[in-house]
Amino acid sequence: MQIDSNRFWSQAWVRHIEEYLKSVPRAGIFLRNYFAKERTVLEVAGGSCRDSRYLANNGFVATCSDFDAQTIKYLKEVRFPNDLLRYSVEDAFAFSYKKRSFDLVFHNGFFIYFDDAQIMQMLQEQARVAKHYIVFFVHNGENRELIETFRKRAQSDKLFDIRFFSQDECITLVKSSGIEAKRIKIAKFGGFFDLFYKKRFKRVIPNPLYPLREYIVPRLYWLQRWENTERICCIVELHR
C-alpha cells in the first residue's frame, strides 16, 4: 500500500520518532562494516535519520533526506541542533542533487510502500545521484511470522500496512529499472543475532560479545535461515 500523504507521515513520526531514535542504528552499522571506502552517503526517506546520523558520527560525510519538512526541521533545529549530519527536504522521485553527488545512496524500509513502476522510477533517480552503490533494505516475504505480526499491527496503525518482497523481486526490479548495474548482491539483515546488541540478556546476564557487537552482528546474519531473517538487503554496484 502506498502512503503519500504529508499529513499522514507528519502524524506518524509524532507517534513513532522517539521510539526509532532509541533503537540500534542497525543499517548504519551494517553499512559502516561493508562500505568503509565510500565516504559520502545519502539516506533517502530517512525519517528519524538514525542510521545516517550514526554514519555521520563515525567518519562519513552523511546527508539525511526526507520529504516531510516538519520532521527534518524538528531533528535539525530542536532534537539535534549541533548534529554533524546534514539534512535536506527532498522528493525521492526528483532530487535537487547533481549527478553522482554521493558514493552511496541507501534507504531502509522505504520501497515497502510503493508499486513496481514507482520503485523503478526511484531507482533511476537514485542511480543518477550515486557514484558507486545503491543499497536498499526491504521486509522479507519468506518470514511468515513477521508478515503476521505486521498484519495485526496494521489493524490499528497504517504505518504497518506494508509490502513484503522476495529476493527474486528485488533483483528483477533492479534489472527492469534500466539502471546500469555492474553487480547485484542479496544479503540477510536483521533477526535472532540482533540479540547481541543488548548489553545484558534478560537484564541480568552479561553479553560477552557486547564490546564487539558492531563488528560481529552484521557478520552473523548470514548464518540465519531466510525464513527467520527480518529483511532483505539488496546491494547494487553501479557500472561506472
Side-chain angles (χ1 to χ4, degrees), residues 10-29:
S10 294
Q11 292 177 346
W13 283 118
V14 168
R15 299 194 307 272
H16 293 287
I17 194 165
E18 292 303 325
E19 175 187 348
Y20 276 77
L21 288 172
K22 290 177 183 177
S23 300
V24 176
R26 297 179 302 162
I29 293 169

Side-chain angles (χ1 to χ4, degrees), residues 172-185:
T172 298
L173 283 166
V174 173
K175 289 183 175 180
S176 300
S177 70
I179 66 175
E180 296 182 357
K182 180 179 180 181
R183 189 176 293 108
I184 305 170
K185 180 180 178 181

Side-chain angles (χ1 to χ4, degrees), residues 16-236:
H16 293 287
I17 194 165
E18 292 303 325
E19 175 187 348
Y20 276 77
L21 288 172
K22 290 177 183 177
S23 300
V24 176
R26 297 179 302 162
I29 293 169
F30 184 95
L31 295 171
R32 184 189 177 196
N33 272 272
Y34 290 101
F35 296 96
K37 293 181 180 179
E38 281 63 48
R39 306 314 297 174
T40 55
V41 178
L42 171 67
E43 181 175 10
V44 182
S48 69
C49 303
R50 176 188 62 208
D51 296 301
S52 49
R53 183 173 301 104
Y54 170 87
L55 292 172
N57 290 331
N58 284 277
F60 291 77
V61 179
T63 300
C64 183
S65 67
D66 197 279
F67 86 139
D68 183 40
Q70 181 177 321
T71 298
I72 292 294
K73 182 177 180 180
Y74 169 73
L75 292 170
K76 183 178 180 180
E77 299 179 8
V78 180
R79 194 64 168 76
F80 301 99
N82 300 313
D83 220 342
L84 292 173
L85 180 63
R86 302 175 181 183
Y87 294 93
S88 183
V89 178
E90 295 288 337
D91 177 356
F93 291 91
F95 293 125
S96 64
Y97 311 116
K98 296 179 180 179
K99 290 182 179 180
R100 303 186 185 184
S101 294
F102 303 92
D103 293 328
L104 168 68
V105 175
F106 81 95
H107 41 92
N108 188 5
F110 178 41
F111 281 167
I112 59 177
Y113 296 107
F114 297 92
D115 62 30
D116 287 2
Q118 292 166 321
I119 289 172
M120 289 188 285
Q121 183 181 347
M122 287 188 285
L123 280 170
Q124 291 171 5
E125 181 64 358
Q126 290 163 24
R128 183 183 70 81
V129 301
K131 289 181 184 178
H132 304 303
Y133 290 96
I134 298 169
V135 179
F136 61 89
F137 301 83
V138 291
H139 292 65
N140 175 25
E142 291 186 43
N143 190 324
R144 308 311 300 178
E145 182 178 350
L146 185 66
I147 291 173
E148 181 61 16
T149 297
F150 271 68
R151 185 191 68 79
K152 291 178 179 178
R153 296 190 71 176
Q155 293 174 7
S156 59
D157 190 339
K158 289 186 180 296
L159 189 68
F160 296 93
D161 185 7
I162 69 168
R163 174 181 178 180
F164 285 79
F165 290 76
S166 70
Q167 299 170 57
D168 287 342
E169 278 182 295
C170 294
I171 294 171
T172 298
L173 283 166
V174 173
K175 289 183 175 180
S176 300
S177 70
I179 66 175
E180 296 182 357
K182 180 179 180 181
R183 189 176 293 108
I184 305 170
K185 180 180 178 181
I186 297 294
K188 298 172 182 176
F189 178 81
F192 171 79
F193 291 107
D194 289 328
L195 178 69
F196 291 104
Y197 280 126
K198 295 182 179 180
K199 195 169 187 177
R200 296 179 181 276
F201 304 131
K202 296 183 178 180
R203 299 185 179 182
V204 293
I205 304 171
N207 172 10
L209 298 181
Y210 187 75
L212 299 173
R213 64 196 180 282
E214 293 188 2
Y215 177 82
I216 291 176
V217 173
R219 290 168 170 79
L220 290 176
Y221 289 145
W222 74 273
L223 295 173
Q224 300 171 163
R225 297 169 64 91
W226 268 110
E227 55 262 42
N228 298 324
T229 297
E230 180 188 336
R231 305 191 187 196
I232 297 167
C233 175
C234 185
I235 302 168
V236 183

